[in-house]
Amino acid sequence: MHIELDHIVLWVADPIRSAEFYATVLELTPLRLQEFRDGTAPFPSVRVSAGTIIDLAPLPLAAGLNAAGEGTAGHPVNHLCLNLDHDGYLALKDRLAAHGIPVPLTMKDSFGARGHAPETLYFTDPDRNVIEARYYA
């Protein structure tokens, strides 16, 4: 059996602000941003890879998505982790610094889906969602 991550949904206060953050800081491509502005899409997304996106869902949608029982939608996620190549990781560190985005934690030899990563860093988006970025040697 082959399984891949399709998407992650983050609850955000301002989907346009969040899409701009992910486009500017992580250089992810926004999807359906104009459609969201036009009111024809319920939320925008950003593309992580050919097969994976992050949906930037407005908080008011949570009430209608309690599919697994009352109070389940909008449950916080600890963090999401993005794997970059080494040059992309270094460029991200530079962009975080250029935008004044704090990096409160950097770890060495962190374990993940592809084994041990030499270095990882953590930062938050405008809605305080924690993002881990890493590269593998």
Side-chain angles (χ1 to χ4, degrees):
M1 174 169 46
H2 176 79
I3 298 175
E4 293 180 350
L5 181 64
D6 184 84
H7 71 277
I8 295 171
V9 178
L10 297 179
W11 296 114
V12 300
D14 182 343
I16 293 171
R17 176 190 69 183
S18 293
E20 291 168 352
F21 172 86
Y22 283 91
T24 301
V25 175
L26 288 166
E27 297 185 336
L28 301 180
T29 302
L31 305 171
R32 302 188 327 158
L33 186 56
Q34 189 57 50
E35 292 90 334
F36 176 73
R37 286 184 173 125
D38 294 341
T40 60
F43 51 82
S45 304
V46 289
R47 181 158 303 285
V48 175
S49 66
T52 305
I53 62 174
I54 299 170
D55 293 334
L56 304 168
L59 283 169
L61 289 181
L65 293 177
N66 283 312
E70 186 61 34
T72 59
H75 185 74
V77 171
N78 181 273
H79 71 276
L80 66 95
C81 180
L82 301 173
N83 174 29
L84 295 82
D85 62 28
H86 186 249
D87 289 342
Y89 179 84
L90 295 176
L92 173 60
K93 285 176 78 170
D94 290 343
R95 284 193 307 278
L96 291 169
H99 289 281
I101 299 169
V103 177
L105 178 62
T106 301
M107 296 174 54
K108 303 288 185 190
D109 194 36
S110 178
F111 185 78
R114 297 182 185 181
H116 290 274
E119 184 176 291
T120 64
L121 60 81
Y122 293 80
F123 61 97
T124 59
D125 73 4
D127 291 280
R128 300 186 44 147
N129 291 302
V130 177
I131 303 164
E132 175 186 352
R134 65 175 49 221
Y135 70 94
Y136 291 96

